[in-house]
Amino acid sequence: MTNQNGRKRLSAAELVTVLSYVRTRANLARQKGTTRAVIDELIVLLLATAGLRPHELCALRIGDLPGTHGEMALWIRDTTGGVARKVHISEDLAERLARFVRSYRNGAQQEDLLLESERGGPLGYMSLYNKVRRIGQEAAIGKLSPAALRRTYIQQLYHAEQDLRYVQEQAGYMSRRSIAEIVKICCDAAGDGANQPEQAGNKLAGMDPGQTSICEACGATITKGTGRRIESGQLLCDGCLRYFRRA
Ligand SMILES: [Zn+2]
């Protein structure tokens, strides 16, 4: 499923391909004591199985992990440092995060970032984007973006839970319009969080899915007159542009 922005989300088979690719490489890296493939795996898991926005992933600190606070969730902070939401995660992901901290971030403090760039310092949006792109090519599934992985998470969560309000919370209060476009339900159904499985096909209120522009960072629908292409050619929504400029 693609448009001019590239792949919008992954099929179930493509997701399995990407997850098993990063897992095999990470297992090998752990044996050899190298880092890059282990970080690649965490990035893919945090996007595709926890649905974090890229800037949320880059800002994740050791103290936001289950190993520190004991909840089976990631704490996502707002700009003031408060906990804006808690994203529920699987025990498998929690265990992988804990193992990463034990092996690769030993001695890190609660306020230290979970992931750092290869040169040290915070991981920036462009290096995250380039990593995800490279993983897509290496796993032979073609163009891959952070947005495609996050949209895959949102779609799978909706199909598992059939609860739009819960999906909205987990996805960080993404607009109903964006979620409706991802899970292919009609915006009316999205209005009150009603359980309405896919039946509206492409008849999304006022939208032609073939023409819909999406943010390549967070996967949100970009409405006309908002968002902008950055130097690398990616289209970003206004929200992601704010973080991109800050990075
Ligand atoms: Zn965005």
Side-chain angles (χ1 to χ4, degrees):
M1 165 140 315
T2 59
N3 69 354
Q4 76 269 20
N5 293 330
R7 186 180 299 274
K8 279 184 165 186
R9 57 180 157 77
L10 275 63
S11 67
E14 287 168 332
L15 180 61
V16 169
T17 300
V18 173
L19 291 178
S20 83
Y21 172 77
V22 290
R23 183 147 299 187
T24 305
R25 297 271 321 282
N27 286 340
L28 207 62
R30 277 186 280 266
Q31 284 169 19
K32 291 194 289 187
T34 57
T35 316
R36 192 169 92 158
V38 178
I39 290 180
D40 284 356
E41 183 193 28
L42 281 187
I43 288 174
V44 169
L45 289 174
L46 288 166
L47 292 168
T49 72
L52 300 196
R53 293 183 174 93
H55 68 81
E56 294 169 343
L57 195 166
C58 295
L60 213 53
R61 295 177 188 275
I62 305 287
D64 302 330
L65 308 179
T68 311
H69 54 61
E71 293 180 67
M72 199 49 75
L74 300 172
W75 286 359
I76 308 299
R77 295 181 187 274
D78 57 25
T79 47
T80 67
V83 178
R85 75 180 196 279
K86 296 175 180 179
V87 177
H88 300 132
I89 59 169
S90 66
E91 285 186 26
D92 176 71
L93 177 53
E95 170 51 34
R96 271 164 201 278
L97 288 164
R99 206 198 315 174
F100 175 76
V101 173
R102 277 197 308 272
S103 309
Y104 293 88
R105 303 288 282 121
N106 197 11
Q109 303 297 304
Q110 289 200 13
E111 60 275 16
D112 289 342
L113 291 167
L114 171 68
L115 300 179
E116 291 183 330
S117 74
E118 277 157 35
R119 283 163 295 172
L123 183 68
Y125 172 68
M126 276 314 293
S127 45
L128 176 77
Y129 176 82
N130 288 329
K131 276 177 188 291
V132 171
R133 238 186 115 93
R134 171 178 50 75
I135 291 165
Q137 284 160 357
E138 289 173 355
I141 63 148
K143 190 179 176 191
L144 187 61
S145 66
L149 293 171
R150 179 168 141 85
R151 288 167 67 93
T152 304
Y153 163 80
I154 290 167
Q155 193 210 23
Q156 294 211 336
L157 186 64
Y158 180 76
H159 282 286
E161 302 289 336
Q162 297 284 305
D163 180 346
L164 266 168
R165 203 154 292 165
Y166 177 67
V167 175
Q168 263 192 300
E169 281 171 25
Q170 290 296 292
Y173 310 99
M174 195 184 216
S175 77
R176 286 196 290 263
R177 183 187 158 116
S178 291
I179 292 178
E181 195 267 324
I182 293 168
V183 302
K184 303 293 175 224
I185 55 169
C186 166
C187 276
D188 295 344
D192 58 5
N195 295 339
Q196 188 118 2
E198 58 184 297
Q199 56 167 229
N202 288 336
K203 277 171 63 185
L204 300 169
M207 286 198 290
D208 173 355
Q211 299 296 312
T212 305
S213 296
I214 64 160
C215 171
E216 285 190 64
C218 75
T221 302
I222 296 180
T223 45
K224 242 186 172 174
T226 69
R228 191 169 57 78
R229 271 188 202 283
I230 57 174
E231 254 172 54
S232 63
Q234 293 167 65
L235 188 61
L236 300 189
C237 74
D238 287 349
C240 288
L241 279 171
R242 273 200 296 279
Y243 286 96
F244 178 72
R245 285 199 199 100
R246 219 180 283 165

